[in-house]
Structure formats: structure tokens, C-alpha cells
Amino acid sequence: MSATLPMQISYPEQLPVTQRRHDIAEAIRDHQVVIVAGETGSGKTTQLPKICLELGRGQEGGVIGHTQPRRIAARTVAERIAAELGTELGQLVGYQVRFTDRSSAQTMVKVMTDGILLAEVQRDRDLRRYDTIIIDEAHERSLNIDFILGYVKQLLPRRPDLKVVITSATIDPRRFSAHFDDAPVIEVSGRMYPVEVRYRELTDDQTQGITDAVRELLTAGPGDILVFLSGEREIRDAADALRRLRPTRVSDAFEVLSLYARLSSAEQHRVFAPHQRRRVVLATNVAETSLTVPGIRYVVDTGLARISRFSARTKVQRLPIEPISKASADQRKGRCGRQADGICIRLYAEEDFDARPEFTDPEIVRTNLASVILQMTALGLGDIGRFPFVEPPDTRSVQAGIQLLEEIGAITSARRARRSKPRGRAETRMADGRTAVSSGKNATPALTTIGRQLAQLPVDPRLGRMIVEGHRNGCLREVIIVAAALSIQDPRERPSEQQDAADAAHRRFADPTSDFAGLLNLWGFVKEQQKELSSSAFRRLCKTDFLNYLRIREWQDLDSQLRQVSKQLGLSLTKTPASAEAVHRSLLAGLLSHIGMKDVDKRDYLGARGSRFAIFPGSALAKKQPPFVMSAELVETSRLWGRVNAAIEPEWAESIGAHLVKRTYSEPHWEYKRGAVMAFEKVTLYGIPIVSERKVDYGRIDRAVARDLFIRHALVQGEWRTHHRFFHANQEVLAEAEELEQRARRRGIVVDDETLFDFYDERVGPDVVSTAHFDSWWKQQRRTTPQLLEFSLDLVVQDAADDLSVQEFPDVWRHGDAAMPLVYEFDPGAESDGVTVEI
DNA sequence: GGGTTAGGGT
């Protein structure tokens, strides 16, 4: 094998993978892609990189890249490989996760999170720095893993020298093999003791089922029990019930522990502390993959979990409680039987299990795709419909993702792109000058300047959009702090035993109109205390103030990372404190479809697209709810909740969402006083009325209608006070014609208004929509054609009345010397009808 | 008044 390796490589005898290492080495040597399937304990994670090293990989040709789904795993895997090779971490074996890079020029094996590898793709399109890539835990099918699997698939022909190893639990290696053109699969056994499965279908409620199962297992022998539940509330209910359970024997005494991700770190750590008494650990899905609880001999599985699903219809994230898949149930079962035989009690029937889907839906079919689409577009991958995903997301989710990117102005409208290329193919000019061709249906449109910036920012596109706007509004410093807070787990802790104390401690920072302002207050407090206190005093303060020190650090790390990237993007940081309004206007740029209007009757909010949401009880806005809000997160659980919120002025949304708002106008009417046509404007954003009845100059909205109304009311009806000569002359002509009607006792002598309208319509300038417009137009026009607008009697008298003349109806009745005025009135039925002589 | 799973990043 290779001579350049500084050490002899050995393999732990007891690991199952050691027995198969020659087969694995052979397969890797002979094939570009190899699938290695094996359960935890098989040793694949740590031994595969060593096998690759022995094959001479990771040396002159490039590095062996090894991805892990989680940061902690990346570090511990690197530590173990380094230890087994007898080298120091960061030299031959290194690792890189966000905020930490412990790799060097000597590094041959680089362990990293899959997100780091994806990030490197942006700068190294063909991943030239690697000669081997190991994708570990591929069966977890996270968004990152599926993206990498697709990317690698289309990279293989360009990199014939690249070797790829996909590792997976034994659940479904064939699927990966099929994706990589029938790549060979090598199965490695795990090291597991047998686990007996007992089905105990619920007869009562879940809590009762759990206590019954725990009671059953207490009699089965010594060892800790791990119970899988769907969420915090279920854990609390079960914990209460179990603590009430009075064990009959001393040996049955046990303590109850909870375990879920949002738990305070101290409470989480109790699970790993050595202990004497038997334990029952009540856990969510954290214990399924992320955390391994030691010493578990028994598992109780409720068969339920909260699964995140993105609704392409309502564009909202949901967290329904669902029956888990067979694969997930088996994973839970596998959490016992590591050290001795185990028992797994499933709180459902065997037929129920048999009827369940084999696998959990991969994240890519369950999630908002905006970020993936943005990345793919930035990479010039063009048509998402043609990208070789193991399992392609459906068209509607892709459309929803594109729609969100349009909302935040990251891409130009797909519809517009399609319209300009009627043959169903859209050519998109990429940032680097290349051209992407895509089919019409799932066309990936071109990135805007904002879109290119968002693709560089390591946060959710909505949060990135806030940052870009923060720069524009001179409040980048504040917006980065908020965006960083929104992308990490909440640094505020709320231990179950001290919720009131924690709430009180956190309330000091609350702002009654904005949870975001509350975050900024907390940030300021933390910064100040850090400056004044020693490092250990600060840690103590975090504890007493119910703040998670590590998450505070993460917040600060992310803040500096975002500052740095922003600087590279030419976004400038502000030195002076920004106004709250500037900050909130910036945040709104990312939250346009997350605004809500108070429904006073129902105590909730009317949201985008007809949705309704309520303010989450933990928000500072829960008590006194403002008329309009924006929410950073809308998640549907028991109902649709807005979790982090602030009051907004609806008019802000009008300008920031100018590309999205719909305007409708009603009641265009002539206003005598203004000498203009006015109408009422209603502005809606995703169906939410952000302006309800604003009076606007209609001449700017609909010139034709406004001109029409101007002519009818001002010129024809004379609803105008003006000195124009033609105006008064015309009124006199009309008066004369009307007088004729009275005297001749006939209607219809004076032409109708339509004729007068047509007269003006033919003559008045096309832009004349108000008295002001008229005046300036007429000032010019009358120089050349001063008589343009003057009526003649011929015009205003109907053709049929040609033979009549006012002269035939004298004004005065002469009788002898007396001359008595005659008044004509044509008003049948009235006393004054006919000719009246005034004596 | 009311209350969410857990991962990842240029």
C-alpha cells in the first residue's frame, strides 16, 4: 500500500467492519461509488477513512472528506479516528464545523458537517480538493444529504478520479445503489444483542399505557428504561403519572428524567451523569438520533412523533403528531440492546406496525425549498426538475419555494421569464456569464442582486433579506443581531421547575410592542455584563438569569460571522444606534407574507392568503395585541401560532411589498372643490387590507375614466367655477336653447348631454383629467384655436328643432301701451305650466 | 386563556 503514510494502520479486531475491510477496499478500488450498510456499532464511521487511507487516498491527489449530519458527531468522529491513528487532532485528521476549523495543510482526513461540504461547493464546484468523499448516515436523508447526493451524482462524470462512499443503516441501501447506477452494496453486521418486541396496544390513554409498560419492565430485570414520546407536553403528563406510581418493592424504585432539545443544558446533562437508582428517561426524537442515552436496556415506544411538514397550499410550516415509520420505530427499538438483551414495548398493535410506511419521508419532500432553490440557482444548476435527486420534491413545493424567493426579491418573476420565451424554454443568464437552460415548467429564474447576496449569507433566505434591508436602512448592526438570534435556538432557558422565575428574569428585557426589540435588549445586557464581569462570573450570571451560556456564545459567533460576510458583500455596518422603526421596517422585508391584521371579535389575526393565526403565549405581544403585526415564525401545532412578533404600521408593508400589493379602486367621483376626479383606494397584501379607504387622485390611476368624468361633470354639467370665456359663452347658448324648449312646449330641443360630451371629448387634450390639467392645456391650445370649445346654437339644438326660433315666442305681450313680460314654462300639471303673463 | 421536533451553513 502507500508508503507516504507515516504510520501503520490497524483495525480493532472486535469491530464487524474489520472482517469486511478487504471486501470494502476492493470495492472502493474497483468502483467509483460504494454503499456500505451497517448498524451503529459496526465501526463503519471510524474505520472507512482508514481503509481509504490504506488505499492511498487522501494523499497527493486530495483529501478524504467525511461528512456527518451533526456538529458534535463531526468532532467526536475526528477525535476517535485521530486517536486510533495515534496522531494529534488537526494534523493528519482534522475537522471543520461552523465556527471551528481544526484542519490544516497536512490533513488527509477531514471530518465535517454536510453543511460545510455544501458551502465549499460554492467556491470549489468540482470539489477538487477531495479525492474521496464519505457521506455518513445517508439514511437520515436530511436536506443537506439529499442535496449532496444529487450534486455528487452529476459531478461523477466530471471527476472520474473521485471515489464516493455512502454509508447507511441497513434499512434501505438499495435505494442509494439505484441512485448511483447499481453501485455495489456491502453490508456489515452490527453488534447488537437481541431485542424482544412486545406489542401492547393502548386500551386507555397514552399516559396509562406508558405507566403500565414501565411497570411491566420494572419486573423484567435491572436496567434503565427509555420512553419515546412526541413532545414536551406528553413528557410532562407521563412524568407526573410516573412520579405518582408507588413502587411495591424497594428494587423497583426509580427516578424520572426528561430529555428534549429545548431542555436547559443542566437538565439535559443529568441523563449522562452516573447514577445509582434505576431510571426512566422520557424523551422526544432527540434520543432517536442526536443523543445516545447510556445504559438503556428497555424501550417504550408510543409510536408517535411530531413531524415537520411544509404545506405548499397554505405556505406554512406544520408540526402534526403522526405515527412514525417502521424504520423510525426500529431505530427507537435499537436504542436498547447495546450492552445486553433488551425489550421494546410498542404501545400499538403489530398490525398497526405492519401497516406503517417503511421510511420516514425525506426532509426534501417535507420542507420549504426556498433555500435549496436559491443555492441551486446560485450554483447555476438551472432546472430543479432535472436535478438528480434521490427523491425529487413535487412541483408544487418547488413553485412555493420560487414564490417565496420572488416575495423577498431574490429572483425575478418566473412568470415574466416564461412570457418572454413563449416556447417553454427559458434561458437564464447566470452571474458568471454562463447560460442556464431550463424547461418551462420548473424554470429556475435568474437571481437578482439581492438573490446573489442572500446566497452568500449563511442564514435562511428570509433572514438574509432582513440583513440586506438593514444595510439599506442604516441599521445593519441591529438587524444582524436579530437575524442571528432567529437562526439559533433560543438562549433563554425555562426549566420546568422554575418557569415563573425564568419568565420574570426574561421579562426585564421584554418590549411590549416587539419581541425583536426584546432580543436587542437582551443582547445589550449580555454585552455589558460580559465587559464588566470575569468570564466565570459571567457564566454564573447566565445561570441565575436563565440564559444558556453556550447558546449565547453561538449567538455572538453567528453575529460576528454575519458581520464578516456582510462586509464582504459590501454591506456596511452602522456605528450609531438605529431607530426602532428602521429596524422593524428592515425585518418586515423578510416577513411580508407573515403579517397579520387583528380580528377584534376573534382575538386572533387575519394572515396571508386567508389564514388565521394567534400570538404565541410566550410572546410579549400576547396580552396587548396591536392592530397589525409581523411574525418571524408561523408554525401550526394545536393552531397556527406566531411565535416571535412585533407591531407594525401597515403602510410599511405597502412600500416594501410594492411588488406584491394589489390595489383596487372604488367610487371614482368628481370633486367640485378639488376640481379633480377622486376615488377610494384599497391596498391589500396577500389579501390583508393594509390600507382600507384612502382617497386618491384618480387621474393618475385611470386616465381615461378620469378624463371622462372631468368632461361630464366640469364641462358638460358645469360643476366648475372658472373664468374661461368659452365656459360662460357655452352656458349662455345652452340657456337660450333651454328657453326655446319652454316656449315651444317641447322636450328634446336641447341636445342631450352625450352630444355635448362628444363635442368636448373630440376636442379636449388626451391628458386632461382635472381642472388644473385643463387650465394648463387650454393655456397653450387657445393661442391657436381660441374658438375650439365654443358651442354654436346649431350644436346644442336638435336637428328636428331647426324650424323653431326663440323669436316665434315673444318675451313680451303688448296690449295697447302696456308691455307685460311673458314667462314660459313647460311643466305639465304645475300651476305655472304654459305661458304666464305678469301683470 | 392559550404553550413546538431536531438537525445543518458560505
Side-chain angles (χ1 to χ4, degrees):
Chain A
M1 297 238 175
S2 174
T4 55
L5 272 184
M7 76 283 288
Q8 192 67 36
I9 292 182
S10 64
Y11 297 87
E13 271 310 310
Q14 71 279 16
L15 286 178
V17 76
T18 304
Q19 272 75 61
R20 301 294 305 276
R21 72 189 154 107
H22 297 296
D23 300 337
I24 294 170
E26 215 168 278
I28 294 173
R29 197 186 56 219
D30 298 341
H31 297 87
Q32 197 176 7
V33 181
V34 176
I35 320 293
V36 177
E39 299 306 329
T40 23
S42 64
K44 58 183 164 52
T45 298
T46 42
Q47 306 311 307
L48 276 172
K50 289 156 70 181
I51 294 172
C52 291
L53 277 175
E54 269 202 305
L55 281 168
R57 311 208 62 86
Q59 294 166 46
E60 260 76 82
V63 177
I64 298 169
H66 186 168
T67 71
Q68 287 294 318
R70 281 164 293 279
R71 283 190 239 166
I72 301 172
R75 198 191 71 221
T76 54
V77 165
E79 281 166 354
R80 267 176 39 215
I81 298 171
E84 287 187 23
L85 290 175
T87 69
E88 204 181 312
L89 186 65
Q91 301 297 307
L92 194 142
V93 180
Y95 78 95
Q96 186 183 352
V97 297
R98 192 181 214 177
F99 310 130
T100 311
D101 184 0
R102 295 201 55 193
S103 64
S104 61
Q106 294 84 49
T107 297
M108 293 183 182
V109 177
K110 177 174 164 183
V111 188
M112 67 198 120
T113 49
D114 36 35
I116 293 283
L117 184 70
L118 274 181
E120 288 181 354
V121 167
Q122 294 268 359
R123 277 171 287 119
D124 180 7
R125 297 285 162 106
D126 290 350
L127 293 169
R128 294 272 165 199
R129 63 179 297 191
Y130 301 103
D131 69 5
T132 309
I133 292 174
I134 302 170
I135 312 294
D136 205 11
E137 314 279 9
H139 62 276
E140 286 192 22
R141 303 293 304 278
S142 69
L143 206 51
N144 284 348
I145 287 172
D146 272 21
F147 194 4
I148 289 175
L149 292 177
Y151 195 82
V152 165
K153 161 99 177 173
Q154 50 97 53
L155 173 64
L156 292 174
R158 298 206 302 276
R159 288 285 314 275
D161 56 311
L162 181 72
K163 298 287 188 185
V164 176
V165 183
I166 313 290
T167 92
S168 155
T170 43
I171 52 170
D172 193 22
R174 293 283 146 209
R175 187 182 301 225
F176 298 115
S177 172
H179 180 250
F180 286 107
D181 303 324
D182 296 322
V185 177
I186 296 178
E187 292 210 28
V188 184
S189 64
R191 269 192 322 161
M192 287 284 293
Y193 293 91
V195 176
E196 177 197 343
V197 178
R198 298 179 185 171
Y199 290 95
R200 299 284 184 265
E201 192 177 2
L202 288 184
T203 50
D204 205 332
D205 66 354
Q206 179 181 285
T207 307
Q208 187 60 49
I210 291 169
T211 48
D212 290 347
V214 167
R215 222 186 263 127
E216 177 179 341
L217 291 171
L218 288 175
T219 62
D224 292 349
I225 303 170
L226 177 60
V227 186
F228 284 99
L229 302 98
S230 54
E232 286 180 37
R233 163 174 279 184
E234 291 78 11
I235 287 177
R236 223 177 304 126
D237 292 347
D240 290 346
L242 285 171
R243 288 191 182 113
R244 281 196 301 269
L245 207 65
R246 289 259 168 264
T248 45
R249 301 176 303 174
V250 182
S251 58
D252 285 352
F254 62 89
E255 57 177 346
V256 180
L257 264 62
S258 303
L259 185 62
Y260 46 90
R262 277 179 39 79
L263 205 64
S264 72
S265 50
E267 287 176 288
Q268 274 199 21
H269 276 107
R270 289 177 60 199
V271 170
F272 303 102
H275 56 284
Q276 298 298 318
R277 261 201 302 176
R278 192 207 279 257
R279 276 182 173 173
V280 177
V281 179
L282 305 173
T284 61
N285 260 356
V286 260
E288 196 178 301
T289 45
S290 306
L291 291 176
T292 299
V293 183
I296 295 300
R297 272 201 69 186
Y298 309 106
V299 163
V300 177
D301 177 18
T302 61
L304 298 170
R306 278 201 192 268
I307 309 272
S308 171
R309 297 199 178 268
F310 180 73
S311 162
R313 190 178 58 83
T314 60
K315 317 278 186 283
V316 147
Q317 189 198 351
R318 304 174 52 232
L319 274 176
I321 296 174
E322 293 183 1
I324 58 171
S325 66
K326 286 181 189 163
S328 177
D330 287 338
Q331 175 76 19
R332 288 179 174 187
K333 180 186 81 178
R335 299 265 99 177
C336 66
R338 298 290 187 81
Q339 284 141 2
D341 295 4
I343 299 172
C344 171
I345 293 186
R346 290 179 172 159
L347 299 179
Y348 43 97
E350 187 164 10
E351 301 77 54
D352 181 348
F353 176 81
D354 291 338
R356 293 186 178 208
E358 294 294 324
F359 311 107
T360 311
D361 285 338
E363 194 181 2
I364 193 150
V365 304
R366 293 189 283 114
T367 196
N368 177 358
L369 295 173
S371 180
V372 173
I373 296 168
L374 180 69
Q375 299 310 319
M376 290 183 62
T377 310
L379 287 168
L381 295 177
D383 193 341
I384 288 135
R386 285 192 206 162
F387 187 76
F389 283 116
V390 177
E391 206 161 319
D394 77 35
T395 317
R396 281 173 54 235
S397 321
V398 175
Q399 284 308 324
I402 289 175
Q403 224 174 314
L404 173 55
L405 292 174
E406 284 172 5
E407 172 182 319
I408 59 177
I411 54 178
T412 51
S413 166
R415 261 156 282 137
R416 206 184 310 146
R418 222 171 296 151
R419 212 181 301 136
S420 63
K421 298 273 184 237
R423 279 165 306 166
R425 285 165 70 84
E427 287 195 348
T428 308
R429 203 102 183 110
M430 304 311 298
D432 54 8
R434 287 175 308 128
T435 301
V437 182
S438 37
S439 66
K441 206 171 184 186
N442 276 347
T444 314
L447 288 187
T448 60
T449 305
I450 289 175
R452 275 190 292 276
Q453 292 174 321
L454 298 191
Q456 300 296 313
L457 285 163
V459 284
D460 179 87
R462 284 190 188 275
L463 303 182
R465 183 64 185 85
M466 297 174 181
I467 291 174
V468 171
E469 196 69 15
H471 158 74
R472 297 179 174 185
N473 292 337
C475 53
L476 188 59
R477 190 189 78 88
E478 287 82 358
V479 174
I480 283 180
I481 293 167
V482 172
L486 294 176
S487 50
I488 59 165
Q489 287 177 312
D490 195 333
R492 290 165 292 195
E493 289 191 331
R494 201 163 176 262
S496 37
E497 308 295 306
Q498 305 162 74
Q499 295 191 345
D500 293 342
D503 288 348
H506 300 152
R507 213 175 295 125
R508 294 178 292 157
F509 312 109
D511 180 311
T513 64
S514 166
D515 293 323
F516 307 105
L519 288 168
L520 288 170
N521 292 339
L522 175 59
W523 176 272
F525 170 79
V526 164
K527 278 278 173 189
E528 213 169 277
Q529 297 302 314
Q530 237 171 351
K531 223 182 287 171
E532 288 179 10
L533 300 175
S534 71
S535 158
S536 58
F538 177 70
R539 277 170 187 262
R540 281 198 299 278
L541 175 90
C542 284
K543 205 166 201 165
T544 53
D545 278 346
F546 298 98
L547 301 171
N548 183 313
Y549 174 75
L550 287 177
R551 290 187 191 153
I552 294 278
R553 283 292 305 275
E554 177 112 347
W555 188 9
Q556 295 177 336
D557 284 343
L558 184 51
D559 173 75
S560 35
Q561 188 189 22
L562 291 173
R563 282 163 171 256
Q564 199 188 326
V565 179
S566 298
K567 203 169 155 192
Q568 288 162 6
L569 293 175
L571 309 178
S572 44
L573 274 172
T574 37
K575 294 256 159 34
T576 49
S579 72
E581 179 174 333
V583 173
H584 287 88
R585 277 176 179 270
S586 308
L587 302 179
L588 182 57
L591 301 174
L592 286 167
S593 55
H594 282 189
I595 64 168
M597 183 183 75
K598 186 71 197 282
D599 184 333
V600 187
D601 300 335
K602 300 220 170 101
R603 257 191 97 68
D604 67 357
Y605 283 81
L606 171 68
R609 307 178 182 96
S611 63
R612 296 196 152 272
F613 67 87
I615 302 290
F616 194 73
S619 167
L621 282 71
K623 291 270 179 292
K624 194 163 175 288
Q625 307 191 344
F628 283 88
V629 295
M630 61 179 164
S631 184
E633 281 171 65
L634 288 175
V635 181
E636 186 186 313
T637 51
S638 52
R639 65 188 298 186
L640 185 56
W641 296 107
R643 209 169 73 87
V644 186
N645 314 287
I648 56 164
E649 297 297 331
E651 299 82 48
W652 299 346
E654 189 183 0
S655 52
I656 304 166
H659 56 302
L660 301 166
V661 298
K662 291 206 168 68
R663 296 169 193 275
T664 50
Y665 300 90
S666 58
E667 298 171 50
H669 59 279
W670 174 251
E671 285 203 7
Y672 177 79
K673 271 190 180 162
R674 290 181 197 243
V677 176
M678 306 301 284
F680 295 105
E681 182 180 55
K682 182 179 177 182
V683 186
T684 60
L685 177 58
Y686 292 117
I688 302 165
I690 53 177
V691 175
S692 54
E693 202 173 60
R694 173 198 282 155
K695 202 188 264 189
V696 292
D697 180 354
Y698 199 58
R700 265 182 267 158
I701 312 301
D702 188 334
R703 200 179 60 174
V705 170
R707 179 174 175 275
D708 190 296
L709 286 171
F710 165 76
I711 293 174
R712 266 176 218 288
H713 289 273
L715 298 180
V716 176
Q717 314 275 8
E719 297 168 34
W720 185 13
R721 191 175 300 164
T722 178
H723 295 297
H724 290 306
R725 267 192 43 215
F726 82 90
F727 186 85
H728 296 283
N730 286 355
Q731 292 203 324
E732 275 166 33
V733 173
L734 273 177
E736 193 177 332
E738 276 158 15
E739 184 63 20
L740 193 61
E741 279 191 344
Q742 303 293 340
R743 295 186 190 189
R745 301 191 57 73
R746 271 167 61 187
R747 299 264 190 240
I749 293 176
V750 181
V751 289
D752 61 4
D753 285 353
E754 282 312 304
T755 310
L756 301 182
F757 175 83
D758 291 344
F759 171 86
Y760 284 120
D761 188 28
E762 280 162 25
R763 291 165 175 78
V764 167
D767 297 328
V768 174
V769 292
S770 69
T771 55
H773 286 83
F774 182 91
D775 290 346
S776 64
W777 167 77
W778 185 230
K779 198 174 171 184
Q780 296 293 321
Q781 190 64 38
R782 72 181 170 209
R783 286 190 194 150
T784 48
T785 53
Q787 264 106 45
L788 179 71
L789 297 177
E790 282 176 20
F791 294 167
S792 63
L793 200 57
D794 278 356
L795 172 83
V796 300
V797 172
Q798 292 264 30
D799 292 348
D802 274 356
D803 54 330
L804 289 173
S805 156
V806 185
Q807 275 67 47
E808 293 172 35
F809 302 94
D811 296 331
V812 182
W813 183 47
R814 293 183 189 280
H815 183 73
D817 292 339
M820 283 163 283
L822 293 174
V823 176
Y824 299 82
E825 193 165 331
F826 179 40
D827 188 6
E831 208 182 319
S832 55
D833 184 50
V835 188
T836 306
V837 186
E838 291 178 22
I839 304 173

